[in-house]
Amino acid sequence: MALPKTAFELFQVLEKSNCRECGEKTCLAFAGAVFLGQRKIHECPKLTPQTVERFAGEHDKENVQEQNPGDRLEKLKSEITHLDLAKAAERVSAKFSGNRLTLKVLGKDFSVDEKGNLTTEIHVNPWVAVPFLRYIINGQGLPVSGKWVSFRELRGGRDRCPLFQKRCEEPMKKVADVYTPLFDDIVHVFGGKQVAKQFESDISVVLHPLPKVPIMICYWLPEDGMDSSLHIFFDETADRNLDIGSVFNLGVGLAQMFTKIALRHGFDART
Ligand code: SF4
């Protein structure tokens, strides 16, 4: 059998009883934590030694990358030094001047020079910096089509979709539920734009973590006993302008950032 390559494949080998003996609330949460290198597969006491042995070693090796975002960043910076940065700028429609490529990340200038040095008006977080560099190195630079699709519909999105809902859409919905100025912040602090309501939502905003990878957040208020809901949509070209792992990380990073902002204003959306 092929070794698991995604959190969902890891989830498939678990008991799915949500017994919490591993300390996580659900088996899905445990699978996600293992996939991101935060937990080890042997920490589920319900697995047979054969299952643990079958992929622990190999998967742990893969997770070394996930465990060290700083290392991943350094590796990508080194790849930049072998890249024709002027050509890359042309490909992704970025500015190139004085050996430096510059584009907008969440409305702010973000640059890299030919030695891989990053300069930015915002804090250099790996969840932004890694996708920024991957966008430059591998992005196809396709024009935004204007057709919105769910994460599941992107290439490689189906397997990661349950984890994306859990780590991105659910936490973001909790923030929107308790911290009502969230959408104003998205517009005024992160260069987002309120757009005509989509999919019969009550609020729709578009923001650009990367110029050709727009993200649309749609929020539905609670109504007639129904809970609120929040879904995130991507341009259908997102999986070619950026790898799916980076698309995932951008969504999760945004959710974490919004959670922190709400907390700073006294609204705890973590429970
Ligand atoms: S201990 Fe194993 S079976 Fe129980 S919740 Fe955790 S992952 Fe699921």
Side-chain angles (χ1 to χ4, degrees):
M1 178 181 165
L3 295 169
K5 292 280 190 294
T6 67
F8 193 65
E9 283 182 65
L10 281 165
F11 173 66
Q12 300 285 41
V13 303
L14 299 175
E15 192 183 77
K16 304 182 193 70
S17 62
N18 300 332
C19 71
R20 300 189 175 195
E21 284 185 39
C22 58
E24 299 289 341
K25 284 186 185 163
T26 61
C27 295
L28 185 59
F30 179 76
V34 172
F35 184 67
L36 294 173
Q38 296 158 351
R39 303 292 303 270
K40 297 286 183 197
I41 189 74
H42 67 257
E43 292 177 79
C44 168
K46 302 296 179 75
L47 291 174
T48 63
Q50 290 80 4
T51 305
V52 171
E53 194 183 336
R54 196 170 74 213
F55 61 85
E58 197 62 29
H59 196 72
D60 283 352
K61 265 188 249 157
E62 283 183 10
N63 279 342
V64 168
Q65 269 199 323
E66 300 294 340
Q67 275 174 330
N68 299 294
D71 288 353
R72 220 176 337 153
L73 193 53
E74 289 312 312
K75 190 167 168 281
L76 289 168
K77 284 181 180 178
S78 145
E79 281 182 44
I80 287 284
T81 63
H82 303 294
L83 197 69
D84 183 335
L85 210 50
K87 268 195 184 161
E90 210 174 297
R91 172 168 40 81
V92 299
S93 308
K95 278 193 288 182
F96 186 75
S97 162
N99 295 334
R100 179 178 296 275
L101 178 156
T102 303
L103 51 77
K104 295 278 184 202
V105 170
L106 295 171
K108 306 280 194 310
D109 278 352
F110 210 109
S111 306
V112 63
D113 67 18
E114 289 177 334
K115 292 184 176 164
N117 298 311
L118 295 169
T119 318
T120 165
E121 295 174 344
I122 57 176
H123 182 60
V124 179
N125 270 315
W127 72 264
V128 169
V130 169
F132 167 77
L133 293 175
R134 286 198 168 141
Y135 177 81
I136 293 166
I137 295 167
N138 299 319
Q140 292 184 19
L142 298 176
V144 171
S145 74
K147 183 178 176 205
W148 295 106
V149 298
S150 66
F151 184 81
R152 171 184 286 273
E153 292 169 88
L154 295 176
R155 193 171 45 189
R158 178 183 286 265
D159 286 346
R160 291 175 167 91
C161 188
L163 197 59
F164 183 77
Q165 286 168 347
K166 179 157 189 59
R167 295 180 64 95
C168 178
E169 291 179 323
E170 287 178 23
M172 219 182 265
K173 176 189 110 59
K174 285 183 183 169
V175 175
D177 285 346
V178 299
Y179 178 61
T180 44
L182 171 67
F183 295 104
D184 286 338
D185 284 0
I186 290 175
V187 170
H188 295 117
V189 183
F190 302 110
K193 196 174 169 196
Q194 191 139 1
V195 294
K197 295 168 185 172
Q198 304 279 323
F199 307 115
E200 300 184 358
S201 64
D202 293 298
I203 300 173
S204 300
V205 290
V206 172
L207 70 168
H208 287 79
L210 290 162
K212 295 189 176 192
V213 187
I215 288 181
M216 181 167 70
I217 304 170
C218 294
Y219 181 65
W220 290 259
L221 292 160
E223 193 182 19
D224 297 335
M226 300 257 293
D227 196 6
S228 62
S229 59
L230 183 149
H231 291 291
I232 294 181
F233 298 90
F234 298 89
D235 192 79
E236 66 171 348
T237 56
D239 53 9
R240 281 153 290 156
N241 286 333
L242 191 63
D243 62 284
I244 193 72
S246 293
V247 174
F248 177 95
N249 287 333
L250 278 179
V252 174
L254 281 172
Q256 289 171 348
M257 183 173 70
F258 294 160
T259 303
K260 280 186 196 161
I261 289 171
L263 200 56
R264 213 178 295 147
H265 287 87
F267 297 89
D268 192 346
R270 294 172 298 176
T271 51

